[in-house]
Amino acid sequence: MMFVLLDFMLLLFLASVFVSSACARPSSYAVWAADSAIARGQGNGLDDNGNPLVSYEHGELQWALRLLYEQTGNKTYYDYIKTGVDNVVASDGSVGGGYSATQFQLDPLRVGPTFLYLYNQTNQTKYRKAADEFRNQFPIHSRTAQGQFWHKKIYPNQGWLDGIYMGDIFYAAYTQMFQPTNNTAWDDITLQFTLMFNNTIQNSATPNHTFTGLLYHGYDYSHSTIWADPDRGHSPEIWIRALGWYSMALVDALAIIPTSHPGHAVLLNILRTLVPRIVAATDPTSGVWWLVMTQPGRAGNYFESSGAAMFVYSLLKAVRVGYVTDSDGKIVASAKKAYQYMVDNWVVDHGDGTMDWKNTVQVGSLNTDGSYAYYIGVPTDLNDLKGLAAFALASIEYEQS
């Protein structure tokens, strides 16, 4: 009887070890975030009903998975990227998933860098044709009189910070791969960043708003929308994720635009202007950033996770690559403090080997009045891919710092 009991106890112990091992979280937060997204089937080129979908969120995750594949050699990440793209690109290279060039939307183009990556990896013509289809949108895409791409056809004359990350990283990557001497394209990419910066930068304090010197969510060149300020038509508030998209676009584009082209210096100057201001805008206690950055501490405002992760990624990459100097260590220290808050407050061990990611606001749009009440009234989501992918990117940088 004693031997039976001992055998039974041994079996229980081995079973507990197996379960513990099967559910153990990876030592890398970047891997944990990526594996969690994959386990939930997020970012796989399909919508919630299993229909093909071209989504900028998927493109953001695919960028993180590519970096992880290059670092770890884990082919799971590459295979997931390829499966996701194959869900939206047909064998003849045509792009499905709801994409239409004549809608003049910048958002879908965020998947474009993945087309280029897969073409480089496989030399399969369909990926080149898919990239060409996206690239052919630029000559027909509506612009302001200054030359800024409209964010979407349904928002005439409006430039949003979001659109720089969505469209111009693909524009730059395509130019680098296929047209590296096309200075007209490099000039145009530089123009997109510059117009957005010049038309949205907060130049002065306004009543009831904190001066940050950062960038408003967007602007209406025609000044015809309800929220357009007499000053350049900019929107009323600085919204964290819009600035996060733009910040990531800067550090990613600088790795693509030739240093010999004047645009590289232009973008570098913009980045060096914004980085200390982003650091200065942190909440002094938590070390992270408010959803509406122009109104820190106001009732209803809160610390938002996707924008915070985007800032951490941008700050750490800017220092690591040498785009900005950090002689006193304050930039890296600020980013690391924010990262620690993120893992302490927004990462939740789900108990099955995956993690949950909290406090990502669902959306921020300028199809409303752009008011403070609007931004704080949008719900947050659990495991929103915009935030989870940004956390994976931030973790990739943190784990190299």
Side-chain angles (χ1 to χ4, degrees), residues 106 148-149 151 158-164 168 190-201 215-219 232 246 270:
L106 294 175
Q148 185 89 67
F149 289 131
H151 188 65
Q158 293 181 30
W160 298 11
L161 297 182
D162 320 36
I164 299 295
D168 289 291
T190 305
L191 181 69
Q192 299 308 311
F193 278 90
T194 304
L195 287 175
M196 191 64 68
F197 178 82
N198 290 340
N199 283 299
T200 64
I201 191 166
L215 308 184
Y216 292 104
H217 188 169
Y219 73 100
R232 296 163 292 151
Y246 187 86
I270 291 174

mmCIF file of all heavy atoms in Angstrom, residues 106 148-149 151 158-164 168 190-201 215-219 232 246 270:
data_model
loop_
_atom_site.group_PDB
_atom_site.id
_atom_site.type_symbol
_atom_site.label_atom_id
_atom_site.label_comp_id
_atom_site.label_asym_id
_atom_site.label_seq_id
_atom_site.Cartn_x
_atom_site.Cartn_y
_atom_site.Cartn_z
ATOM 1 N N LEU A 106 -4.657 55.640 -45.708
ATOM 2 C CA LEU A 106 -3.266 55.336 -45.392
ATOM 3 C C LEU A 106 -3.145 54.119 -44.477
ATOM 4 O O LEU A 106 -2.135 53.402 -44.531
ATOM 5 C CB LEU A 106 -2.587 56.545 -44.743
ATOM 6 C CG LEU A 106 -2.431 57.779 -45.641
ATOM 7 C CD1 LEU A 106 -1.864 58.947 -44.839
ATOM 8 C CD2 LEU A 106 -1.543 57.480 -46.837
ATOM 9 N N GLN A 148 0.420 67.429 -48.383
ATOM 10 C CA GLN A 148 0.203 66.393 -47.366
ATOM 11 C C GLN A 148 -0.855 65.407 -47.843
ATOM 12 O O GLN A 148 -1.926 65.798 -48.318
ATOM 13 C CB GLN A 148 -0.289 67.027 -46.060
ATOM 14 C CG GLN A 148 -0.432 66.052 -44.890
ATOM 15 C CD GLN A 148 0.853 65.937 -44.103
ATOM 16 O OE1 GLN A 148 1.276 66.887 -43.450
ATOM 17 N NE2 GLN A 148 1.485 64.781 -44.161
ATOM 18 N N PHE A 149 -0.580 64.107 -47.717
ATOM 19 C CA PHE A 149 -1.603 63.107 -47.999
ATOM 20 C C PHE A 149 -2.788 63.294 -47.053
ATOM 21 O O PHE A 149 -2.596 63.474 -45.840
ATOM 22 C CB PHE A 149 -1.054 61.691 -47.790
ATOM 23 C CG PHE A 149 -0.067 61.231 -48.818
ATOM 24 C CD1 PHE A 149 1.143 60.671 -48.431
ATOM 25 C CD2 PHE A 149 -0.348 61.346 -50.172
ATOM 26 C CE1 PHE A 149 2.059 60.230 -49.375
ATOM 27 C CE2 PHE A 149 0.560 60.915 -51.134
ATOM 28 C CZ PHE A 149 1.771 60.361 -50.726
ATOM 29 N N HIS A 151 -5.556 61.895 -44.718
ATOM 30 C CA HIS A 151 -5.540 60.657 -43.951
ATOM 31 C C HIS A 151 -6.455 59.612 -44.595
ATOM 32 O O HIS A 151 -6.087 58.443 -44.710
ATOM 33 C CB HIS A 151 -5.965 60.905 -42.507
ATOM 34 C CG HIS A 151 -5.789 59.708 -41.624
ATOM 35 N ND1 HIS A 151 -4.551 59.178 -41.343
ATOM 36 C CD2 HIS A 151 -6.694 58.906 -40.993
ATOM 37 C CE1 HIS A 151 -4.691 58.114 -40.559
ATOM 38 N NE2 HIS A 151 -5.968 57.933 -40.343
ATOM 39 N N GLN A 158 -7.333 66.723 -44.379
ATOM 40 C CA GLN A 158 -6.879 66.456 -43.019
ATOM 41 C C GLN A 158 -5.630 65.573 -43.010
ATOM 42 O O GLN A 158 -5.605 64.511 -43.628
ATOM 43 C CB GLN A 158 -7.975 65.771 -42.204
ATOM 44 C CG GLN A 158 -9.182 66.651 -41.931
ATOM 45 C CD GLN A 158 -10.229 65.945 -41.091
ATOM 46 O OE1 GLN A 158 -9.913 65.081 -40.278
ATOM 47 N NE2 GLN A 158 -11.489 66.328 -41.273
ATOM 48 N N GLY A 159 -4.627 66.009 -42.288
ATOM 49 C CA GLY A 159 -3.460 65.191 -42.025
ATOM 50 C C GLY A 159 -3.462 64.768 -40.567
ATOM 51 O O GLY A 159 -3.648 65.610 -39.683
ATOM 52 N N TRP A 160 -3.302 63.472 -40.306
ATOM 53 C CA TRP A 160 -3.260 62.940 -38.938
ATOM 54 C C TRP A 160 -1.875 62.348 -38.684
ATOM 55 O O TRP A 160 -1.280 61.711 -39.579
ATOM 56 C CB TRP A 160 -4.304 61.846 -38.734
ATOM 57 C CG TRP A 160 -5.736 62.231 -38.903
ATOM 58 C CD1 TRP A 160 -6.243 63.394 -39.413
ATOM 59 C CD2 TRP A 160 -6.874 61.417 -38.594
ATOM 60 N NE1 TRP A 160 -7.611 63.356 -39.440
ATOM 61 C CE2 TRP A 160 -8.029 62.154 -38.938
ATOM 62 C CE3 TRP A 160 -7.028 60.138 -38.070
ATOM 63 C CZ2 TRP A 160 -9.323 61.652 -38.753
ATOM 64 C CZ3 TRP A 160 -8.307 59.633 -37.891
ATOM 65 C CH2 TRP A 160 -9.441 60.384 -38.224
ATOM 66 N N LEU A 161 -1.377 62.502 -37.474
ATOM 67 C CA LEU A 161 -0.092 61.908 -37.136
ATOM 68 C C LEU A 161 -0.067 60.414 -37.420
ATOM 69 O O LEU A 161 0.951 59.869 -37.860
ATOM 70 C CB LEU A 161 0.228 62.136 -35.651
ATOM 71 C CG LEU A 161 0.397 63.571 -35.156
ATOM 72 C CD1 LEU A 161 0.747 63.556 -33.667
ATOM 73 C CD2 LEU A 161 1.466 64.310 -35.927
ATOM 74 N N ASP A 162 -1.174 59.738 -37.161
ATOM 75 C CA ASP A 162 -1.262 58.290 -37.373
ATOM 76 C C ASP A 162 -0.804 57.891 -38.778
ATOM 77 O O ASP A 162 -0.153 56.869 -38.980
ATOM 78 C CB ASP A 162 -2.709 57.791 -37.201
ATOM 79 C CG ASP A 162 -3.477 58.435 -36.066
ATOM 80 O OD1 ASP A 162 -3.276 59.642 -35.813
ATOM 81 O OD2 ASP A 162 -4.307 57.761 -35.441
ATOM 82 N N GLY A 163 -1.203 58.710 -39.749
ATOM 83 C CA GLY A 163 -0.969 58.357 -41.147
ATOM 84 C C GLY A 163 0.495 58.290 -41.528
ATOM 85 O O GLY A 163 0.863 57.586 -42.478
ATOM 86 N N ILE A 164 1.341 59.001 -40.805
ATOM 87 C CA ILE A 164 2.776 58.956 -41.117
ATOM 88 C C ILE A 164 3.314 57.551 -40.862
ATOM 89 O O ILE A 164 4.070 56.998 -41.674
ATOM 90 C CB ILE A 164 3.540 60.002 -40.285
ATOM 91 C CG1 ILE A 164 3.055 61.416 -40.606
ATOM 92 C CG2 ILE A 164 5.045 59.873 -40.520
ATOM 93 C CD1 ILE A 164 3.337 61.875 -42.019
ATOM 94 N N ASP A 168 4.020 56.126 -44.560
ATOM 95 C CA ASP A 168 5.346 56.563 -44.989
ATOM 96 C C ASP A 168 6.470 55.593 -44.665
ATOM 97 O O ASP A 168 7.532 55.659 -45.297
ATOM 98 C CB ASP A 168 5.632 57.949 -44.426
ATOM 99 C CG ASP A 168 4.780 59.004 -45.115
ATOM 100 O OD1 ASP A 168 5.015 59.256 -46.298
ATOM 101 O OD2 ASP A 168 3.847 59.530 -44.485
ATOM 102 N N THR A 190 10.036 63.019 -47.007
ATOM 103 C CA THR A 190 10.477 64.071 -46.091
ATOM 104 C C THR A 190 9.403 65.131 -45.926
ATOM 105 O O THR A 190 9.144 65.623 -44.813
ATOM 106 C CB THR A 190 11.774 64.723 -46.607
ATOM 107 O OG1 THR A 190 12.769 63.718 -46.819
ATOM 108 C CG2 THR A 190 12.292 65.769 -45.633
ATOM 109 N N LEU A 191 8.752 65.478 -47.028
ATOM 110 C CA LEU A 191 7.684 66.480 -46.995
ATOM 111 C C LEU A 191 6.546 66.040 -46.090
ATOM 112 O O LEU A 191 5.989 66.857 -45.339
ATOM 113 C CB LEU A 191 7.163 66.719 -48.413
ATOM 114 C CG LEU A 191 6.045 67.757 -48.555
ATOM 115 C CD1 LEU A 191 6.580 69.160 -48.269
ATOM 116 C CD2 LEU A 191 5.424 67.697 -49.958
ATOM 117 N N GLN A 192 6.178 64.762 -46.144
ATOM 118 C CA GLN A 192 5.077 64.267 -45.315
ATOM 119 C C GLN A 192 5.374 64.459 -43.830
ATOM 120 O O GLN A 192 4.536 64.939 -43.058
ATOM 121 C CB GLN A 192 4.801 62.786 -45.612
ATOM 122 C CG GLN A 192 4.398 62.477 -47.043
ATOM 123 C CD GLN A 192 3.246 63.324 -47.528
ATOM 124 O OE1 GLN A 192 2.213 63.451 -46.864
ATOM 125 N NE2 GLN A 192 3.412 63.925 -48.702
ATOM 126 N N PHE A 193 6.578 64.080 -43.412
ATOM 127 C CA PHE A 193 6.969 64.262 -42.012
ATOM 128 C C PHE A 193 7.008 65.745 -41.641
ATOM 129 O O PHE A 193 6.552 66.150 -40.567
ATOM 130 C CB PHE A 193 8.352 63.645 -41.765
ATOM 131 C CG PHE A 193 8.358 62.164 -41.526
ATOM 132 C CD1 PHE A 193 8.489 61.274 -42.588
ATOM 133 C CD2 PHE A 193 8.249 61.649 -40.246
ATOM 134 C CE1 PHE A 193 8.514 59.911 -42.373
ATOM 135 C CE2 PHE A 193 8.273 60.281 -40.012
ATOM 136 C CZ PHE A 193 8.406 59.406 -41.080
ATOM 137 N N THR A 194 7.566 66.554 -42.540
ATOM 138 C CA THR A 194 7.786 67.966 -42.240
ATOM 139 C C THR A 194 6.477 68.736 -42.144
ATOM 140 O O THR A 194 6.270 69.536 -41.214
ATOM 141 C CB THR A 194 8.687 68.603 -43.308
ATOM 142 O OG1 THR A 194 9.910 67.863 -43.394
ATOM 143 C CG2 THR A 194 8.987 70.052 -42.967
ATOM 144 N N LEU A 195 5.585 68.525 -43.107
ATOM 145 C CA LEU A 195 4.291 69.210 -43.072
ATOM 146 C C LEU A 195 3.505 68.836 -41.821
ATOM 147 O O LEU A 195 2.868 69.692 -41.193
ATOM 148 C CB LEU A 195 3.476 68.877 -44.324
ATOM 149 C CG LEU A 195 3.940 69.512 -45.636
ATOM 150 C CD1 LEU A 195 3.108 68.996 -46.800
ATOM 151 C CD2 LEU A 195 3.868 71.034 -45.557
ATOM 152 N N MET A 196 3.551 67.565 -41.470
ATOM 153 C CA MET A 196 2.833 67.140 -40.273
ATOM 154 C C MET A 196 3.406 67.825 -39.036
ATOM 155 O O MET A 196 2.658 68.310 -38.172
ATOM 156 C CB MET A 196 2.911 65.623 -40.130
ATOM 157 C CG MET A 196 1.974 65.057 -39.081
ATOM 158 S SD MET A 196 0.233 65.296 -39.477
ATOM 159 C CE MET A 196 0.065 64.213 -40.891
ATOM 160 N N PHE A 197 4.716 67.863 -38.940
ATOM 161 C CA PHE A 197 5.363 68.499 -37.800
ATOM 162 C C PHE A 197 5.034 69.991 -37.748
ATOM 163 O O PHE A 197 4.608 70.522 -36.711
ATOM 164 C CB PHE A 197 6.877 68.294 -37.891
ATOM 165 C CG PHE A 197 7.665 68.949 -36.791
ATOM 166 C CD1 PHE A 197 7.797 68.342 -35.558
ATOM 167 C CD2 PHE A 197 8.282 70.179 -37.005
ATOM 168 C CE1 PHE A 197 8.528 68.939 -34.539
ATOM 169 C CE2 PHE A 197 9.016 70.784 -35.993
ATOM 170 C CZ PHE A 197 9.139 70.161 -34.755
ATOM 171 N N ASN A 198 5.214 70.687 -38.859
ATOM 172 C CA ASN A 198 5.025 72.137 -38.874
ATOM 173 C C ASN A 198 3.587 72.554 -38.609
ATOM 174 O O ASN A 198 3.343 73.615 -38.016
ATOM 175 C CB ASN A 198 5.478 72.720 -40.218
ATOM 176 C CG ASN A 198 6.979 72.671 -40.388
ATOM 177 O OD1 ASN A 198 7.731 72.559 -39.423
ATOM 178 N ND2 ASN A 198 7.432 72.738 -41.637
ATOM 179 N N ASN A 199 2.638 71.725 -39.034
ATOM 180 C CA ASN A 199 1.230 72.093 -38.902
ATOM 181 C C ASN A 199 0.588 71.645 -37.592
ATOM 182 O O ASN A 199 -0.532 72.063 -37.285
ATOM 183 C CB ASN A 199 0.426 71.540 -40.079
ATOM 184 C CG ASN A 199 0.625 72.342 -41.348
ATOM 185 O OD1 ASN A 199 0.312 73.529 -41.400
ATOM 186 N ND2 ASN A 199 1.183 71.707 -42.365
ATOM 187 N N THR A 200 1.298 70.799 -36.831
ATOM 188 C CA THR A 200 0.685 70.299 -35.593
ATOM 189 C C THR A 200 1.474 70.616 -34.329
ATOM 190 O O THR A 200 0.974 70.391 -33.228
ATOM 191 C CB THR A 200 0.481 68.771 -35.648
ATOM 192 O OG1 THR A 200 1.754 68.118 -35.732
ATOM 193 C CG2 THR A 200 -0.407 68.360 -36.813
ATOM 194 N N ILE A 201 2.684 71.134 -34.435
ATOM 195 C CA ILE A 201 3.459 71.375 -33.233
ATOM 196 C C ILE A 201 2.803 72.460 -32.376
ATOM 197 O O ILE A 201 2.314 73.473 -32.882
ATOM 198 C CB ILE A 201 4.922 71.745 -33.566
ATOM 199 C CG1 ILE A 201 5.765 71.731 -32.298
ATOM 200 C CG2 ILE A 201 5.013 73.075 -34.308
ATOM 201 C CD1 ILE A 201 7.252 71.737 -32.551
ATOM 202 N N LEU A 215 3.074 67.463 -30.444
ATOM 203 C CA LEU A 215 2.265 67.557 -31.664
ATOM 204 C C LEU A 215 0.802 67.219 -31.402
ATOM 205 O O LEU A 215 0.483 66.187 -30.806
ATOM 206 C CB LEU A 215 2.812 66.607 -32.736
ATOM 207 C CG LEU A 215 4.298 66.703 -33.061
ATOM 208 C CD1 LEU A 215 4.653 65.768 -34.210
ATOM 209 C CD2 LEU A 215 4.714 68.134 -33.383
ATOM 210 N N TYR A 216 -0.064 68.100 -31.879
ATOM 211 C CA TYR A 216 -1.500 67.823 -31.825
ATOM 212 C C TYR A 216 -1.827 66.618 -32.709
ATOM 213 O O TYR A 216 -1.054 66.257 -33.613
ATOM 214 C CB TYR A 216 -2.293 69.041 -32.289
ATOM 215 C CG TYR A 216 -2.212 70.224 -31.351
ATOM 216 C CD1 TYR A 216 -1.403 71.331 -31.645
ATOM 217 C CD2 TYR A 216 -2.950 70.261 -30.165
ATOM 218 C CE1 TYR A 216 -1.325 72.425 -30.794
ATOM 219 C CE2 TYR A 216 -2.889 71.353 -29.304
ATOM 220 C CZ TYR A 216 -2.069 72.426 -29.622
ATOM 221 O OH TYR A 216 -1.997 73.506 -28.770
ATOM 222 N N HIS A 217 -2.976 66.021 -32.473
ATOM 223 C CA HIS A 217 -3.367 64.790 -33.168
ATOM 224 C C HIS A 217 -3.362 64.960 -34.682
ATOM 225 O O HIS A 217 -2.954 64.064 -35.425
ATOM 226 C CB HIS A 217 -4.754 64.361 -32.685
ATOM 227 C CG HIS A 217 -5.196 63.026 -33.170
ATOM 228 N ND1 HIS A 217 -6.300 62.366 -32.671
ATOM 229 C CD2 HIS A 217 -4.711 62.202 -34.125
ATOM 230 C CE1 HIS A 217 -6.449 61.207 -33.280
ATOM 231 N NE2 HIS A 217 -5.503 61.093 -34.178
ATOM 232 N N GLY A 218 -3.817 66.095 -35.169
ATOM 233 C CA GLY A 218 -3.870 66.300 -36.618
ATOM 234 C C GLY A 218 -4.225 67.735 -36.939
ATOM 235 O O GLY A 218 -4.293 68.598 -36.063
ATOM 236 N N TYR A 219 -4.436 67.991 -38.217
ATOM 237 C CA TYR A 219 -4.824 69.338 -38.638
ATOM 238 C C TYR A 219 -5.698 69.256 -39.878
ATOM 239 O O TYR A 219 -5.656 68.284 -40.640
ATOM 240 C CB TYR A 219 -3.595 70.204 -38.894
ATOM 241 C CG TYR A 219 -2.815 69.889 -40.153
ATOM 242 C CD1 TYR A 219 -2.960 70.655 -41.313
ATOM 243 C CD2 TYR A 219 -1.908 68.823 -40.193
ATOM 244 C CE1 TYR A 219 -2.233 70.370 -42.462
ATOM 245 C CE2 TYR A 219 -1.171 68.540 -41.332
ATOM 246 C CZ TYR A 219 -1.340 69.317 -42.468
ATOM 247 O OH TYR A 219 -0.625 69.033 -43.598
ATOM 248 N N ARG A 232 -3.318 77.304 -37.855
ATOM 249 C CA ARG A 232 -2.938 76.197 -38.748
ATOM 250 C C ARG A 232 -3.985 75.089 -38.859
ATOM 251 O O ARG A 232 -3.733 74.060 -39.481
ATOM 252 C CB ARG A 232 -1.595 75.589 -38.324
ATOM 253 C CG ARG A 232 -0.399 76.536 -38.432
ATOM 254 C CD ARG A 232 0.778 76.035 -37.641
ATOM 255 N NE ARG A 232 0.503 76.095 -36.217
ATOM 256 C CZ ARG A 232 1.028 75.286 -35.312
ATOM 257 N NH1 ARG A 232 1.876 74.334 -35.677
ATOM 258 N NH2 ARG A 232 0.713 75.412 -34.038
ATOM 259 N N TYR A 246 3.710 58.660 -34.563
ATOM 260 C CA TYR A 246 4.662 59.544 -35.248
ATOM 261 C C TYR A 246 6.078 59.320 -34.731
ATOM 262 O O TYR A 246 7.044 59.311 -35.506
ATOM 263 C CB TYR A 246 4.232 61.001 -35.059
ATOM 264 C CG TYR A 246 5.030 62.001 -35.859
ATOM 265 C CD1 TYR A 246 4.687 62.293 -37.176
ATOM 266 C CD2 TYR A 246 6.113 62.673 -35.297
ATOM 267 C CE1 TYR A 246 5.413 63.222 -37.921
ATOM 268 C CE2 TYR A 246 6.834 63.605 -36.026
ATOM 269 C CZ TYR A 246 6.486 63.880 -37.336
ATOM 270 O OH TYR A 246 7.202 64.800 -38.071
ATOM 271 N N ILE A 270 13.889 66.720 -36.245
ATOM 272 C CA ILE A 270 12.554 66.614 -35.642
ATOM 273 C C ILE A 270 12.605 65.681 -34.433
ATOM 274 O O ILE A 270 12.068 65.994 -33.358
ATOM 275 C CB ILE A 270 11.531 66.102 -36.677
ATOM 276 C CG1 ILE A 270 11.291 67.154 -37.756
ATOM 277 C CG2 ILE A 270 10.214 65.730 -35.996
ATOM 278 C CD1 ILE A 270 10.403 66.678 -38.901
#
